[in-house]
Amino acid sequence: MISIKYLYSPVLPASTGIDFHITIQERTLGQTNKNIIISIRKYKLLIGFALGCLVFYWLYKPGRLFTAPTSYVIEDAEGNLLNASIATDGQWRFPYNKNVPQKFIDCITTFEDKRFFTHPGIDVIAMARAAMANARHGHTTQGGSTITMQVLRLSKKNDNRNAWNKLTETILALRLEFSCSKKEIMALYAANAPFGSNVVGLEAAAWRYFGRKAGSLSWGEMATLAVLPNAPALVHPGRNRAVLMAKRNNLLDRLAAAGKLTKENADLAKLEPLPDKPIPLPQWAPHLLQRFKKENSNTNAYTKISTTINAGLQQNINRLISQQQQLLKGNGINNICALVLDVETGNSLAYVGNIYLPAIREYESDVDVINAPRSPGSALKPILYAAMLSDGQILPNALVPDIPTEIAGYTPQNFDLGFDGAVPASRALSRSLNIPAVRLLQQYKYQRFYEVLQRSGFNTLKKPADFYGLSLILGGCEVTMWELAGVYASLARALNHQEKNKGLLKDSDFHAPLYHSKEVKPVSNPSPIPFDPVSIYYTFQAMQEVMRPGEEGLWQQFSSSQRIAWKTGTSFGFRDGWAIGVTPANVVAVWVGNADGEGRPGLVGVNTAAPVMFDIFRLLPTVSWFKKPSFSYSYIPVCRQSGFRANVDCPDVDTLFMPPNALRSPLCPYHKVIHLDPIENLQVDESCCNPASMRHIPWFILPPTMEYYYKQKNYDYKMLPAFKAGCDASNGSGKMELIYPQPGAKIYVPLEMNGEKGRTIFTAAHRNPSAKIFWTLDDQFLTTTEQKHQVAVSPPAGLHTITLTDEEGHSIARQFEILNKEK
């Protein structure tokens, strides 16, 4: 026996298992064997050629069959279509989907290729039947192409059905069957078959003709689509309706005959109407689609994603946004956006980047404001409060000065232009007072706060810290809503996990939001997280006390009301209105303004953005409040009046639950022991009273300027008693303060409406309500004031010195500069 055997070649895949045998049985010896050997040598070239052809056939595998551009498609968390954009070649062509509905498989195989799952890529029976029919009629009436062959024809975009193309398709179909499973071939066909007009692929057709995903179509609808690739021009308003109806009904009868559905269901399916003109696709998240396209612009990127969006919530918020914009546009406020996050995962549940009115160009509704840098106004104040609590620089209710302030030419103002004198830090946060915030930042250092913001997850701070300075806390920087909501979600997540993490904050809790499934990447920064759970808890407690607008102001009277930690922000020039709210389950952020940055009067966060934020929270499940931290805390004595850590002179002390670093906070600076006469009416000293008869009383004493404003709003504040006659009261340090101007102030005095030179108001404060103060400007006497110490002056341009002297001879001198140019 002579055997030629091929077992393996490195050129071929090892898994092919090709094994060729040529076996010749030797019947005789001698000449017979010799003739056989000669015959083999004679035909070895032919055998080699045949083997080479077989190897080439095996190795030749069709490459990427379809390279046409596809539509960008985003789906919600349940797989429902949110938005799609037409492909760059003008076709509605959704990306390849390996999951093909069984109804479509049943319909298309019954209509086009009933032996699809049994033939090797070509159906000899169908081809013979088609050849006979075509010969009988003298022209082409039937085709014998299988679905596999149609996939190849669609990939080549060649409609010329000549003998050569048919032969090529036949050979390649056999080869494609070696490379792909039947399921994969069916998916290729479903994704690329034409369905009329500019609609390609089953998924696009289902949405364009029936407004639903393919898996939700009925038998009548699926049968309609199954007959279209054979003649895609059938779907056209007003034309070919009868032909399409007949084809669909015939297919339904064949499906019933094949046992795919009952005759009753087939008859019911025949009653379903045919599609009319294509239906516009959903446009529920156009800005999220825009973001997805921008972040996946690579030509080889897959153009479809399943997002984390809740479609029902998205649609409801779209309606809320539209309604609010209708109200605001009368004031020239055209744009509004909203973002809802799930705290635990950071997933976006709703992403409404703007109103969507592309037909009105001046609205600039194509701008995705969620991802656009904007001034945050006061929205960063809670982050400073939490950082200072965590660092031990303040306690939650420690008094903070709220007085006229000028720092190196920077003069912050409260929104109401008033002063409280002194205000608890928590109340300063809940009321969003600017002056206390700036003074706290001055204490904490803006360079350090800049690093805290970067550590928390803000990446839009592109300038150095000195560029922003103290204005950082009042919106003198730019952040995106995406980052802002992500930071608040991270804080809430860390607080939720405090029990699981034994009071520690983990890097994994601080990460950016997500809008589709991908690996969570914590904020990249080697420095420690500048917060602790107790500080975050106190911050959210303070934010909960913010006065809610409108009907929401009565929320505490209803036990069913949702407790929300929230903050508003309004940028300089009334360009941006913000509201951001936090619960243990969700973060809701809303922005209102104009995409082009135009400011408008009345564009205030609490009036424009906050109502929408609370409306959105009503759409979300009500959840219980944050759990009080059970790790990493301390109990310390706190002065009830000042909110500072109690000193030995504080009369009323409470031992309170505090952040772990609270023991480092400063002692109360405002309680001191004073010496009173026996009836406690007047101050005394040893020069006028026997020390044995003195009463030593701890007294709450604010500096004169703080006292001046504080007593106007706190009527229970007790002024220091006057000194008894004959006592030595010569030490008057701290009795009188010049509130304005501040040291080294540079003042510009505008002209009055009538064109006359304006005047500036200087203000002073004195502990003695009946004291007289004598005012002198550049050694020239001006006037005397009592009780209310204010003087209007109009000095010429240049450097000046103002001097104040009281009746006891105590004086203050301060230099300032007038910037006006004299005419």
Side-chain angles (χ1 to χ4, degrees):
M1 181 180 72
I2 297 172
S3 177
I4 300 174
K5 184 175 184 180
Y6 173 73
L7 288 174
Y8 175 76
S9 169
V11 178
L12 295 172
S15 61
T16 59
I18 300 175
D19 190 351
F20 301 106
H21 292 274
I22 300 176
T23 303
I24 303 170
Q25 183 66 44
E26 298 180 68
R27 299 177 183 273
T28 62
L29 299 174
Q31 187 62 42
T32 303
N33 290 343
K34 187 176 181 180
N35 291 337
I36 291 173
I37 293 171
I38 292 171
S39 297
I40 291 175
R41 289 175 178 171
K42 182 177 180 180
Y43 293 105
K44 67 180 180 181
L45 291 177
L46 183 59
I47 294 171
F49 178 74
L51 289 174
C53 289
L54 187 58
V55 170
F56 174 78
Y57 178 77
W58 180 261
L59 290 178
Y60 176 76
K61 178 180 179 179
R64 185 179 176 188
L65 292 175
F66 296 95
T67 58
T70 55
S71 300
Y72 279 88
V73 179
I74 57 174
E75 297 176 338
D76 74 351
E78 302 298 324
N80 299 304
L81 184 65
L82 284 175
N83 245 97
S85 64
I86 198 166
T88 54
D89 62 354
Q91 303 293 308
W92 286 105
R93 184 188 297 105
F94 283 18
Y96 170 85
N97 184 355
K98 66 179 181 180
N99 299 314
V100 181
Q102 187 60 43
K103 280 183 185 177
F104 181 75
I105 295 173
D106 291 340
C107 287
I108 199 66
T109 53
T110 301
F111 186 74
E112 289 279 3
D113 189 357
K114 64 182 179 181
R115 284 177 286 276
F116 172 72
F117 287 101
T118 57
H119 64 60
I122 59 172
D123 188 344
V124 177
I125 298 174
M127 294 178 72
R129 185 182 64 246
M132 293 172 62
N134 295 338
R136 186 166 57 251
H137 291 88
H139 60 88
T140 301
T141 59
Q142 291 186 22
S145 296
T146 62
I147 289 176
T148 309
M149 296 170 68
Q150 291 183 50
V151 167
L152 291 162
R153 185 165 62 249
L154 290 170
S155 71
K156 302 300 181 184
K157 299 181 181 179
N158 188 354
D159 293 328
N160 189 359
R161 302 187 181 184
N162 55 38
W164 173 252
N165 286 337
K166 203 75 168 180
L167 176 61
T168 304
E169 288 175 10
T170 300
I171 296 172
L172 292 178
L174 291 169
R175 184 63 190 87
L176 185 59
E177 292 275 346
F178 275 112
S179 305
C180 302
S181 67
K182 290 289 187 180
K183 184 178 179 181
E184 291 170 334
I185 294 171
M186 179 60 72
L188 285 170
Y189 177 81
N192 294 281
F195 285 87
S197 184
N198 63 340
V199 181
V200 177
L202 174 64
E203 284 294 331
W207 281 103
R208 289 290 280 164
Y209 294 130
F210 299 107
R212 297 197 301 282
K213 60 183 179 181
S216 301
L217 298 183
S218 67
W219 278 107
E221 292 166 339
M222 194 66 84
T224 302
L225 294 184
V227 303
L228 286 180
N230 185 265
L234 286 177
V235 175
H236 194 285
R239 281 195 282 168
N240 305 323
R241 312 292 290 172
V243 178
L244 178 59
M245 178 75 77
K247 280 180 171 286
R248 183 199 69 176
N249 292 347
N250 177 263
L251 174 55
L252 290 169
D253 289 335
R254 291 169 62 184
L255 287 167
K260 303 294 185 182
L261 74 164
T262 64
K263 186 177 184 306
E264 292 77 10
N265 286 337
D267 291 339
L268 287 172
K270 292 178 184 179
L271 299 176
E272 296 180 25
L274 295 176
D276 200 353
K277 61 183 179 180
I279 300 170
L281 296 185
Q283 297 286 332
W284 293 116
H287 302 94
L288 183 57
L289 176 67
Q290 172 186 320
R291 178 173 187 154
F292 171 57
K293 291 172 68 174
K294 183 178 180 180
E295 294 178 356
N296 294 268
S297 57
N298 188 321
T299 54
N300 294 321
Y302 191 61
T303 60
K304 177 181 176 181
I305 58 165
S306 292
T307 69
T308 60
I309 300 297
N310 179 315
L313 182 64
Q314 180 83 9
Q315 293 172 28
N316 285 329
I317 293 177
N318 269 313
R319 282 189 281 269
L320 281 176
I321 293 296
S322 178
Q323 292 168 6
Q324 183 73 353
Q325 194 269 343
Q326 291 296 312
L327 297 174
L328 295 173
K329 69 179 184 180
N331 188 28
I333 303 172
N334 298 325
N335 305 101
I336 180 170
C337 70
L339 178 65
V340 180
L341 301 182
D342 174 72
V343 165
E344 181 60 29
T345 61
N347 290 342
S348 303
L349 302 181
Y351 188 111
V352 182
N354 205 336
I355 58 166
Y356 191 61
L357 296 170
I360 308 177
R361 295 185 61 185
E362 58 266 30
Y363 283 179
E364 298 186 71
S365 62
D366 59 315
V367 176
D368 178 9
V369 184
I370 289 177
N371 209 31
R374 308 288 303 197
S375 167
S378 298
L380 301 181
K381 289 177 182 175
I383 300 173
L384 174 63
Y385 181 76
M388 294 189 73
L389 285 177
S390 184
D391 196 51
Q393 293 199 29
I394 59 170
L395 296 185
N397 295 312
L399 289 178
V400 182
D402 182 22
I403 57 178
T405 300
E406 182 176 350
I407 304 170
Y410 176 53
T411 307
Q413 296 286 339
N414 292 328
F415 186 78
D416 62 1
L417 302 180
F419 307 96
D420 277 25
V423 61
S426 60
R427 196 175 304 161
L429 175 60
S430 64
R431 291 176 53 196
S432 196
L433 297 176
N434 293 335
I435 293 173
V438 171
R439 296 182 75 101
L440 286 174
L441 182 58
Q442 184 186 30
Q443 176 185 341
Y444 189 74
K445 306 303 180 187
Y446 65 80
Q447 298 89 342
R448 191 177 177 195
F449 184 56
Y450 176 86
E451 293 175 357
V452 167
L453 294 177
Q454 290 186 319
R455 179 66 182 88
S456 301
F458 290 102
N459 298 314
T460 48
L461 303 175
K462 303 299 184 183
K463 304 288 186 180
D466 290 339
F467 176 83
Y468 304 108
L470 293 174
S471 69
L472 197 62
I473 197 62
L474 302 183
C477 60
E478 290 186 332
V479 303
T480 66
M481 177 183 284
W482 187 252
E483 293 175 343
L484 186 67
V487 169
Y488 278 101
S490 295
L491 292 172
R493 188 181 307 116
L495 183 54
N496 286 342
H497 292 174
Q498 59 87 21
E499 189 169 343
K500 179 179 71 174
N501 296 333
K502 307 298 184 185
L504 299 176
L505 297 193
K506 294 191 174 182
D507 286 341
S508 57
D509 288 333
F510 285 78
H511 61 78
L514 307 170
Y515 65 87
H516 64 94
S517 298
K518 62 180 180 181
E519 182 182 359
V520 174
K521 294 183 178 180
V523 176
S524 177
N525 197 308
S527 60
I529 298 171
F531 310 106
D532 66 80
V534 179
S535 299
I536 297 172
Y537 178 78
Y538 269 112
T539 300
F540 288 161
Q541 287 284 96
M543 292 170 65
Q544 182 193 213
E545 298 302 322
V546 178
M547 183 64 184
R548 299 187 183 184
E551 297 177 355
E552 284 288 334
L554 303 175
W555 71 276
Q556 291 175 315
Q557 300 183 21
F558 302 93
S559 59
S560 60
S561 296
Q562 172 70 70
R563 297 176 69 180
I564 302 169
W566 68 290
K567 185 73 185 72
T568 60
T570 303
S571 67
F572 178 77
F574 302 101
R575 294 180 174 89
D576 306 89
W578 293 84
I580 185 162
V582 186
T583 69
N586 299 108
V587 170
V588 175
V590 176
W591 172 91
V592 173
N594 287 307
D596 61 3
E598 179 187 359
R600 298 298 302 169
L603 206 174
V604 181
V606 70
N607 296 329
T608 57
V612 181
M613 183 198 72
F614 285 110
D615 285 343
I616 293 174
F617 268 114
R618 292 191 192 99
L619 301 175
L620 300 172
T622 300
V623 296
S624 58
W625 187 238
F626 293 99
K627 289 184 179 180
K628 188 175 181 179
S630 52
F631 294 89
S632 299
Y633 60 87
S634 59
Y635 279 94
I636 66 169
V638 176
C639 177
R640 188 178 301 169
Q641 286 177 286
S642 71
F644 280 78
R645 190 157 58 94
N647 68 21
V648 293
D649 297 329
C650 291
D652 303 310
V653 177
D654 299 312
T655 301
L656 299 179
F657 173 84
M658 289 288 157
N661 287 329
L663 290 171
R664 295 162 43 184
S665 64
L667 294 171
C668 174
Y670 302 125
H671 272 104
K672 297 178 181 177
V673 173
I674 63 172
H675 312 297
L676 301 179
D677 61 13
I679 59 174
E680 300 183 7
N681 279 339
L682 299 171
Q683 288 190 74
V684 295
D685 57 26
E686 63 276 8
S687 66
C688 61
C689 182
N690 187 342
S693 61
M694 291 181 186
R695 301 295 303 272
H696 309 290
I697 307 295
W699 206 274
F700 181 59
I701 308 170
L702 292 174
T705 302
M706 291 173 63
E707 182 182 80
Y708 173 77
Y709 293 103
Y710 186 82
K711 67 184 181 182
Q712 296 177 27
K713 296 188 177 183
N714 297 270
Y715 300 112
D716 58 344
Y717 178 77
K718 297 174 67 175
M719 300 280 293
L720 267 175
F723 271 90
K724 183 179 179 180
C727 292
D728 183 10
S730 59
N731 183 10
S733 60
K735 279 192 172 185
M736 179 173 59
E737 286 185 355
L738 182 58
I739 299 174
Y740 184 80
Q742 296 290 309
K746 298 179 184 294
I747 304 171
Y748 179 83
V749 184
L751 296 176
E752 301 290 350
M753 294 293 292
N754 59 8
E756 294 181 0
K757 187 178 179 181
R759 296 192 291 178
T760 183
I761 308 296
F762 290 171
T763 305
H766 201 288
R767 280 199 194 284
N768 184 355
S770 59
K772 291 183 179 181
I773 297 180
F774 306 95
W775 297 72
T776 303
L777 179 65
D778 299 330
D779 297 328
Q780 297 291 320
F781 177 75
L782 291 177
T783 186
T784 302
T785 57
E786 294 184 67
Q787 294 185 338
K788 189 174 184 179
H789 304 290
Q790 289 186 331
V791 174
V793 296
S794 182
L799 291 173
H800 301 278
T801 301
I802 187 77
T803 304
L804 283 69
T805 307
D806 68 4
E807 296 170 292
E808 297 175 353
H810 309 126
S811 65
I812 301 172
R814 186 163 294 170
Q815 193 174 69
F816 64 94
E817 182 181 1
I818 297 295
L819 300 177
N820 301 56
K821 293 182 178 179
E822 301 295 332
K823 294 183 179 180

